[in-house]
Amino acid sequence: GVQQTTGNNYNSMCNLLDALKEELNFDYTTVLVDRNADAALSTYQNQLLAGAQGIITMVDVDASTTRAIIEDCEEYGAYYAGYMTDFANTFANSDSAQTANVEYILNSDAMLGAVTDGDIVRDGGTRGEFLFNEVVKTESRVVTLCRAPLYAYPVAATAIERFKELAEEYNATHDDDFTIVESVGAADDGALEIGFSMQNVPDATVQQWVADGVEAVIAVNSLGKKILTNVQTSAPDIDIYQVGWDDNIISAFPDTIKTLCQTPAETIVYPLVRVLNAVRGNSYEDEPADKEDTLISGQYLYITSEEELEAARTACMNFSEGNSVEYSLISVEEVKSLLAGEEGATFQKLVDTISSWTSENVLG
């Protein structure tokens, strides 16, 4: 279940799955999943009726809908795992009204966990810390914060909290204080909420940034494309820091877009191996006793210079020409060796493999 069927991550994921499926003896199909909970549930029910034995989803729906999907998986003997999602509606849900649903999900053998897109709500802050550390290297001290809606990306809240925390610590020991400017209509956390349907930040907002002396826009999601057009037109001196990747903004990097990043598509290996193990009735000797431990972090590849971008082109299939599997971070043989039942295969080895794909290790 994917959010879109275009882009370098989607293409890389499919290329890797295509390279793996014959050797690992599986087949797959991709379906576009709506963020509407009822539509998502219907999509997955149709796939289960068609014989799907496992669901790997990029979309985190509310806990009650997730429970309904889990119950359907149980009925059909299928399994449920997440890809580039932190399943926050289950693993970081503090809504007492959802307690029973969360407990049901976490006690179900059908729930296999997830690998995140670079951050976890319960830990939080890694993207906020990265963005702050990049901005602090410059002279920009008047900044504004942007994010996508929290219902879709709740991890943005912890990223913003961490950025503000670091700014306050900096201000306590330096004379060149950070000033965080709130946009008109900003959300409760002071960040401008940029919705999915908005193609560009309104020109009036950019003009307000100019009037307030904003020097850098800090987007804790992949929002560069939505911010870029009117900034380039109305405020070309404003820098944009963001967490994400879009082919349409590469021409503005690193002059206006200062940061790029993406979690390698190869993290699809985690939910894939989890599903294949479960379907085949295999498990690791060190299979986690606590379901919380089945939620693991993917690793962002942070790109902050032309040199790093060039290194990424030849080090990771996400960024390679044609998203070629030739540049995969993991071989078919290495994936096979991670399956339960293979010699030396453990849950910890699977986690360590994913954890090793850091900027330092991949980009040198």
Side-chain angles (χ1 to χ4, degrees), residues 7-9 11 245-251 313 318-319 323:
N8 68 334
N9 179 269
N11 293 333
W245 173 278
D246 191 303
D247 291 330
N248 295 312
I249 65 176
I250 301 305
S251 61
R313 298 285 195 200
N318 278 48
F319 313 108
N323 309 122

Side-chain angles (χ1 to χ4, degrees), residues 135-286:
V135 177
V136 81
K137 294 175 185 176
T138 72
E139 295 181 358
S140 296
R141 293 296 179 266
V142 183
V143 305
T144 193
L145 296 164
C146 297
R147 61 167 173 76
L150 293 182
Y151 73 83
Y153 296 103
V155 73
T158 53
I160 288 171
E161 183 180 344
R162 182 60 177 153
F163 188 97
K164 288 181 175 179
E165 180 182 88
L166 291 170
E168 289 176 3
E169 291 176 5
Y170 182 92
N171 290 351
T173 57
H174 296 76
D175 294 329
D176 55 334
D177 286 3
F178 273 89
T179 299
I180 298 178
V181 173
E182 290 192 10
S183 300
V184 172
D188 290 342
D189 54 14
L192 179 66
E193 183 172 274
I194 301 178
F196 295 110
S197 62
M198 188 184 298
Q199 295 304 306
N200 303 109
V201 173
D203 187 61
T205 300
V206 178
Q207 292 296 337
Q208 180 217 329
W209 291 346
V210 172
D212 288 338
V214 170
E215 298 163 327
V217 179
I218 318 301
V220 298
N221 301 102
S222 182
L223 299 173
K225 180 181 177 182
K226 296 185 178 185
I227 301 169
L228 183 60
T229 300
N230 284 348
V231 164
Q232 285 183 314
T233 301
S234 304
D237 293 332
I238 291 180
D239 294 328
I240 300 170
Y241 294 81
Q242 56 120 47
V243 175
W245 173 278
D246 191 303
D247 291 330
N248 295 312
I249 65 176
I250 301 305
S251 61
F253 174 83
D255 295 329
T256 302
I257 299 287
K258 297 297 183 181
T259 55
L260 302 168
C261 82
Q262 196 172 50
T263 307
E266 288 91 332
T267 59
I268 189 65
V269 166
Y270 179 78
L272 174 66
V273 167
R274 298 288 291 160
V275 168
L276 293 179
N277 286 347
V279 168
R280 294 166 183 173
N282 298 327
S283 62
Y284 299 113
E285 289 186 1
D286 62 339

Side-chain angles (χ1 to χ4, degrees), residues 321-339:
E321 185 175 350
N323 309 122
S324 173
V325 74
E326 173 188 356
Y327 298 103
S328 174
L329 296 171
I330 190 168
S331 68
V332 172
E333 293 74 19
E334 287 170 330
V335 175
K336 188 174 181 180
S337 73
L338 295 172
L339 290 168

